[in-house]
Each structure stands twice: as structure tokens, then as C-alpha cells.
Amino acid sequence: MSLSAVVGLAAAGCRSAARAAFGRGSVRCMATVPGATRVARVAGPACLPRAATPAAAAGIWRFNQPLLVAAASASAVRPPTLCQAYSSAAGSGPGSGSGSSPSPARPPAPPITLRLSAVPTPVKLLGFAGLIPFLGTAAGALYMPEAVWLISQTQSVYGCSILSFMGAVHWGLAMASYGDASTNSKRYILSTVPSLLAFFAVAFIPHVPIQLIAEMLGFNALLLGDVVAHRKSLAPPWYISLRIWLTSIVTVCLGVNVYVAYTH
């Protein structure tokens, strides 16, 4: 069945005909009425990511009647293609303009706070548990300054692994297309920078305190990147609050070892 026939079925509001045409388990209908949008499940798990483009919504308002859009399963019709076709179909009705409406502005990101109440409990627990080696090596350097070089070497290796992990968070967010998917290529590239920095610091800087200083710079540069990601809604809103806490504590711990190494 052609895409135009799909839209024809939908425009007529023939849910039963759409179900019969595509088979059970392959259709959802997007019901849009003036001033409100709702999604009604017809059958199965297939779905269309967005109910309507701004142009389609404007056309529906002009027609002043519900318009049902039946979407074939993802294997038959790619959702972006169907979205474009739906926009054209709804915007080409009587009285519609020749141009398309501009895309709505992205809602502003919530303000950055230090509250951790929104952070999922497992993430919070694992995040702060990851501080234990930093805190332990910092305390060891203070109480056993004669072993500060060995302790700092241990801290440097652990910091290298954590810095790599923190950069990989953005790789995962890009894989999941969290936020603006058009930035994914840049996010993939930038997410590898912390691991490369950590590797070169540990492998090619023989002086352990300099390794720790390089990692301090890496953690805080990554925090600035997380602030940018937060403002562009490329990470969960709660993530930046957790990052501020963790990075601050890690920076203090690394700084303690650097101080002890240079004063003893």
C-alpha cells in the first residue's frame, strides 16, 4: 500500500481499515485536535516519534477537525519520511500557506543547582562510591607522606580510568540520541578526548604530580563540557548537579596529593 493511501485512510479516520490493511501489531494513530495533541494506541508497539510538525499542526487548526495519521511499522515506512509526508498532506489543504512554519524553540534547560534529590539513587550511590579510592589515597598521602609517590601513582592510575569513564558517558548519550541528534558526530569525537588525555598523562609524563595536575585539568575541562551539554539539553537535567559534586571532591583529593608530594 502506498504512503498516500495510508494518509488517506488516516484522514478519513478509518482505524479499523488501517488495522486491517497493515495487520495487528503494526499501527498507531496520532490524533490531533485544535489546541491539543493526544496519541491513541490502535494495535501493537510501533509508533511515530512525533505527532506532527508545526506546519501540520497549523493545517489541522485551519481544518478545525481531528486528523488521524496511521503509521506503518518502522520496517515498512521510515518515521521521518512519514512525518514529512504528513506535513505536506496537512499543509496542502484549503487555505494553507506555501511556506512551512518555523520549528519551535528548544525549551530552556533548568537552572544548575547543587541539589541531588533528582539524581536516581543507584547513580548517586555508585557515583559517591567511586570517590572512595580518591579519598583513600588522599588520606594515605596525608598520614604517610613518606609513601606519597607510590600512593600518588595509584591515585593517578585510578584517575585515568575514571576520566575515561566520564568521557564515555557522552558517547553513550550520543548512541541513545539523547537531545539533538544532529550533534552526535561531534559528541562521539569529543567523548574520546578525556581518555586520550588520561592515557598520555599516565604513559608519557614521568613525574607523578604532573600527571595528577593533568588529570585535574581534564576533570574540570570535562565539567565545563558538561555545563555546555546541560544548557543544550544533551544530558539529563540532574547529571550536572552530580558532576559538580564529584568533580569538586576529586579535584580536592588530587590537589592534596600534589601538595604533599611537593612539600615532602
Side-chain angles (χ1 to χ4, degrees), residues 134-150:
F134 286 111
L135 294 169
T137 50
L142 289 172
Y143 287 99
M144 295 184 294
E146 65 278 2
V148 65
W149 293 93
L150 178 60

Side-chain angles (χ1 to χ4, degrees), residues 102 104 131 137 140 153 182-183 185 214 221 234 252 254:
L131 295 175
T137 50
Q153 183 66 58
S182 65
T183 64
S185 296
L234 297 177
V252 171
L254 295 173

